[in-house]
């Protein structure tokens, strides 16, 4: 059945199949291996396919990090480019193949680092727009008896133990400064993608065209970003994004360790981060990622071996993941040529 489906999906050559089928079980095993190799060739790095007695599995066996060469200075051209890239990543993640992008990793409103919520809410009104030294001075003068948050990530049992000069105090200042910087430089309003995706993408495409004229030094990047929005809209309209595929064929799923509904995406092995080397905050994200993989394992899905296993389920998933990865790599390559000013 798998071989028959592979032929229909153009993963195998008919002449090759006829010759090997005559060899019996050994020939079929060889064809199955050729099929898996063909699927592997279309999957992004870190992913593979395997055959089990109950079906075909697509699984993550390694995490992949892509660091983008985004400018960090405060120039209008740099800020416009950062926001445009994050918008494009969000569109790809939401409507082709969900992955961990900077927006979901660091934005506390998305609750990825949910245990920082109380810390951020406690200090946000005081430190918005402030640099590290200013934050240090503000926290030094605070009434610590009014601090209410879980302090375990700072290595203490009570927030009142976090005093100037202590290692925990420096860690608190570092994390707050990094969260503030991230929120200021990279945060976007994502509601449009949930409420009117096609219209939002069309608006972004037109905006990218305008930004290319306004900032001609970044025109090449904006052209790639426009392509990303166009592709995301096409996948959404055609019902080819991962969530649509899951929903339309979910009765074929035998086993899974990931699902969009649970917030652990099948494409969860890919992490796209800004070029900034976030220190303490980056450590927390890495800890979360490592805990996720240790407790749950790499994202994977096993699809029942019956008619439709390749053409209706596996290949659309593979194509969605491949398109998302292609676009992200295109963005990464386009950004490599950006010259940073004032860093």
């Amino acid at each position: 059945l798998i071989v028959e489906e592979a032929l229909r999906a153009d993963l195998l050559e008919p002449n090759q199949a006829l010759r090997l089928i005559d060899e019996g079980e050994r020939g079929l095993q060889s064809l199955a291996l050729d099929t898996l190799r063909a699927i592997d060739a279309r999957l992004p790095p870190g992913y593979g396919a395997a055959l089990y007695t109950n079906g075909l599995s697509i699984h993550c066996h390694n995490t992949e990090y892509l660091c983008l060469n985004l400018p960090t200075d405060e120039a209008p051209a740099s800020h416009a480019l950062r926001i445009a890239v994050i918008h494009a990543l969000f569109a790809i993640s939401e409507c082709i193949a969900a992955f961990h992008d900077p927006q979901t990793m660091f934005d506390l409103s998305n609750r990825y680092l949910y245990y920082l919520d109380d810390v951020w809410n406690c200090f946000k009104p005081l430190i918005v727009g402030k640099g590290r030294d200013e934050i240090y001075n503000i926290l030094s003068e605070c009434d610590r008896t009014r601090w209410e948050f879980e302090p375990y990530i700072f290595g203490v049992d009570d927030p009142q133990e976090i005093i100037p000069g202590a290692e925990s105090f420096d860690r608190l200042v570092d994390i707050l400064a990094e969260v503030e910087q991230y929120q200021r430089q990279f945060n976007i309003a994502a509601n449009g993608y949930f409420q009117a995706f096609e219209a939002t993408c069309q608006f972004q495409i037109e905006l990218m065209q305008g930004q290319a004229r306004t900032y001609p030094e970044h025109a090449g990047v904006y052209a790639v970003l426009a392509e990303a929005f166009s592709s995301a809209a096409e996948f959404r309209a055609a019902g080819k994004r991962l969530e649509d595929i899951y929903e339309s064929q979910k009765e074929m799923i035998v086993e899974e360790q990931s699902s969009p509904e649970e917030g652990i995406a099948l494409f969860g092995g890919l992490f796209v981060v800004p070029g900034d080397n976030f220190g303490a905050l980056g450590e927390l994200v890495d800890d979360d990622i490592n805990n996720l993989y240790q407790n749950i394992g790499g994202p994977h899905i096993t699809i029942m071996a019956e008619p439709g296993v390749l053409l209706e389920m596996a290949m659309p998933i593979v194509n969605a993941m491949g398109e998302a990865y292609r676009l992200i790599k295109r963005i990464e390559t386009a950004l490599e040529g950006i010259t940073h000013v004032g860093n």
Side-chain angles (χ1 to χ4, degrees), residues 106 113 116 174-175 178-179 182 278-286:
F106 290 104
L113 297 176
L116 283 181
D174 287 340
I175 287 176
E178 288 164 4
V179 172
Y182 182 82
F278 288 94
L281 186 60
E283 291 173 10
L284 292 175
V285 173
D286 284 340

Side-chain angles (χ1 to χ4, degrees), residues 181-233:
Q181 177 190 355
Y182 182 82
Q183 298 275 324
R184 174 168 42 84
Q185 289 193 330
F186 301 107
N187 197 25
I188 64 169
N191 289 338
Y193 297 102
F194 301 115
Q195 297 169 2
F197 186 82
E198 288 81 359
T200 301
C201 280
Q202 184 57 42
F203 169 79
Q204 288 291 339
I205 291 170
E206 294 169 3
L207 178 61
M208 297 304 99
Q209 295 166 347
Q211 297 290 60
R213 292 189 292 269
T214 304
Y215 305 110
E217 67 271 32
H218 296 156
V221 181
Y222 285 119
V224 173
L225 298 181
E227 177 189 341
F229 286 112
S230 177
S231 182

